[in-house]
Amino acid sequence: MSAAFSRWHPIKPIVNWLMLFILLRISFASTEPDVEGEALIDLLRALNDSNGRITDWNDHFVSPCYSWSHVTCRNGNVISLSLASNEFSGTLSPSITKLKFLASLDFQDNSLKGLLPVYLANLTHLQNLNLANNNFRGPISNTWGQLSNLKHLVLRGNHISGDIPDSLANIVGLTELDLSSNDLTGRIPMQLFTVPTFNFTGTRLSCGSSLKEPCASGSSLRVSTKKSKLGRVVTSASCGATILLFIAAIFLYRYYHMRKPKRDVFVDVAGEDDCKISLAN
């Protein structure tokens, strides 16, 4: 009776089905594409790597954290992309927003084009963003003020237009801001002049010698440094000339007294004649 019960007990097929489900689940997960790997493949296609600079990114969805070049990972997540100077001529794909933990993005010295991506505001872990010397155009999105962790923002040498959004001044940890050589116009939020390193030269922004604020950090300091160096040189030259004149005066004084003819000096001593008479007697 007990053997028949154990043979036909309804729990046994349930356990078997659960085991089969778990095995299928594990098998499916092992073949599921890597989300970040898929995002990087889409990104590479949009970048238009016509010169074949990137050869070890493949579409087999092998995790990019193992062997892909220009990629840095931490805890299995992509945190850095260093793709400067690769002659890319395409665009920056929105797929990049799938890299949720991306902290550094460097695309400087390429030929990327299109509007300055608004969707980069979704990369909330971003600390370093360098898009210098490309062909991006359009305005800086006001939503970029959401990048609260941003420390370095370099957009030099593009065709960015419009004004600087006030929201950028809300990024309190910003230590470098380079917007030089663009088509930017208008006023600069005053808070951005407190960024340790800033550069607004080569634009039509309100800054420069005719205004209170300089267009680049340290420009007034460099001028004062030159002035102080010049002052030190003048002071040193003056001191040296004074010392030389003093030495020349001493030399002339001594020379004059050495060349001057000496005169005999006679002193009349009282009682001298009396002493001579006494000795004669």
Side-chain angles (χ1 to χ4, degrees), residues 14 29 245 250:
I14 294 174
L245 288 174
I250 294 175

Side-chain angles (χ1 to χ4, degrees), residues 19-141:
M19 292 287 291
L20 181 61
F21 176 78
I22 292 171
L23 289 173
L24 290 174
R25 182 74 176 178
I26 294 173
S27 177
F28 177 76
S30 64
T31 59
E32 187 177 5
D34 183 276
V35 173
E36 293 190 328
E38 184 178 21
L40 289 176
I41 293 299
D42 290 342
L43 178 68
L44 184 60
R45 291 196 187 105
L47 292 175
N48 188 23
D49 182 20
S50 57
N51 294 314
R53 295 293 188 93
I54 310 298
T55 59
D56 56 354
W57 294 15
N58 58 70
D59 54 0
H60 297 297
F61 305 121
V62 178
S63 176
C65 294
Y66 292 125
S67 59
W68 290 19
S69 61
H70 310 284
V71 178
T72 303
C73 293
R74 180 185 298 159
N75 299 326
N77 297 306
V78 177
I79 63 168
S80 176
L81 286 179
S82 301
L83 292 165
S85 304
N86 280 289
E87 300 181 7
F88 298 139
S89 59
T91 60
L92 193 54
S93 171
S95 296
I96 199 170
T97 57
K98 296 179 182 179
L99 308 177
K100 299 295 185 182
F101 297 93
L102 193 64
S104 179
L105 181 61
D106 186 359
F107 275 111
Q108 70 170 329
D109 298 325
N110 284 288
S111 298
L112 296 177
K113 57 195 176 190
L115 293 174
L116 198 62
V118 176
Y119 43 79
L120 291 180
N122 296 323
L123 298 173
T124 54
H125 287 83
L126 208 57
Q127 298 180 20
N128 174 46
L129 177 57
N130 192 338
L131 302 178
N133 301 322
N134 282 280
N135 295 314
F136 288 110
R137 55 186 174 81
I140 301 174
S141 173

Side-chain angles (χ1 to χ4, degrees), residues 160-162 182-187 200-207:
I160 302 169
S161 58
N182 278 289
D183 300 325
L184 293 164
T185 57
R187 55 175 288 276
F200 306 119
T201 60
T203 67
R204 290 177 288 168
L205 292 166
S206 300
C207 62

